[in-house]
Amino acid sequence: MTEQSTGTTTVEVTEPELRRKPVQQRSQQRLERILNACAELLDESGAAALTTKEVAARAQVPIGTLYQFFTGKQSLLAALARRNLRRYLDRLTRRLEAESPQDIGGFVDLAVEEFVAMKRAVPGFGALDFGLTGPTPPAMGDVAHLLDLTLDNNTAVASLLLRLVSEHSVDSGRRPGPLALRVALECADAVLKLAFEQDRDGDPELIAECKVLLRRYLAG
């Protein structure tokens, strides 16, 4: 469990644990192979058709090795979603450090651009990003809490983005609160989903409109 200070409130982020944490380099490499295989299969067949047996075969590990780390399909998807989020936050942090936006509009542009870049290039990100983007497969359980045991996926993401707003950008008098950023994420999800439904690389006009929408809402 970690506490993330958002500037206006403190949110406890309680990540689900792996069944076993890899310690040795060999175990870490196996875990990464499993997550990479899961991402590839998500792109090929989607979450509904994904099976742990296929993931293990693609990763070239025994099925028992997969179950050393994960309790099942949902646990596997949760680990991939958390990896996606860590990589997104790392990428966004580097952009913020390099470009030092002075207001929330500049922050929004970078946040949307890095998300779109990962949608275009990162295996499995289009199907999963930080939580399932399509219909929930039968018998999947609680997919609204893949990132955190108590917070829904978008609330967990919003709490971490708000920390970045506080650390890197942004005119202190115009920072959004937790609820505003949570609403902004819901809006961005809907518009960007539409953008990628209409264009494999993301419809550029809809991506631009997403930036305009978020800028105006969060600045207000």
Side-chain angles (χ1 to χ4, degrees), residues 15-172:
E15 289 192 359
E17 295 286 345
L18 293 174
R19 180 175 263 178
R20 179 173 72 85
K21 290 186 177 181
V23 176
Q24 298 180 342
Q25 184 179 8
R26 186 177 179 182
S27 292
Q28 293 171 348
Q29 291 172 343
R30 283 180 175 174
L31 176 61
E32 286 301 304
R33 287 213 312 274
I34 292 168
L35 293 177
N36 291 341
C38 179
E40 291 171 3
L41 288 167
L42 280 173
D43 281 341
E44 293 172 15
S45 56
L50 186 77
T51 67
T52 54
K53 182 178 180 180
E54 287 179 324
V55 171
R58 176 69 61 91
Q60 298 183 326
V61 300
I63 188 67
T65 298
L66 185 148
Y67 280 104
Q68 287 178 2
F69 297 113
F70 306 107
T71 58
K73 179 173 169 178
Q74 181 173 342
S75 170
L76 178 59
L77 291 174
L80 182 58
R82 294 195 300 274
R83 188 179 77 168
N84 285 343
L85 178 57
R86 287 193 298 271
R87 290 181 173 181
Y88 172 73
L89 293 173
D90 287 345
R91 291 171 64 125
L92 180 55
T93 296
R94 289 195 294 271
R95 288 288 302 277
L96 291 168
E97 290 173 348
E99 301 186 30
S100 301
Q102 298 302 304
D103 57 27
I104 192 62
F107 180 91
V108 161
D109 287 352
L110 297 183
V112 171
E113 287 166 12
E114 287 305 314
F115 185 85
V116 167
M118 290 187 71
K119 280 278 194 186
R120 290 169 174 165
V122 175
F125 196 82
L128 184 66
D129 60 64
F130 316 131
L132 290 175
T133 60
T136 301
M140 264 296 295
D142 184 10
V143 296
H145 293 85
L146 291 180
L147 299 174
D148 184 272
L149 294 174
T150 57
L151 305 175
D152 66 83
N153 297 327
N154 272 352
T155 298
V157 174
S159 71
L160 297 172
L161 288 177
L162 202 53
R163 183 185 66 175
L164 288 184
V165 169
S166 177
E167 289 177 351
H168 289 278
S169 32
V170 176
D171 178 3
S172 60

Side-chain angles (χ1 to χ4, degrees), residues 163-191:
R163 183 185 66 175
L164 288 184
V165 169
S166 177
E167 289 177 351
H168 289 278
S169 32
V170 176
D171 178 3
S172 60
R174 305 293 293 180
R175 290 176 190 164
L179 179 60
L181 198 51
R182 174 73 170 76
V183 171
L185 277 178
E186 293 290 342
C187 295
D189 269 355
V191 177

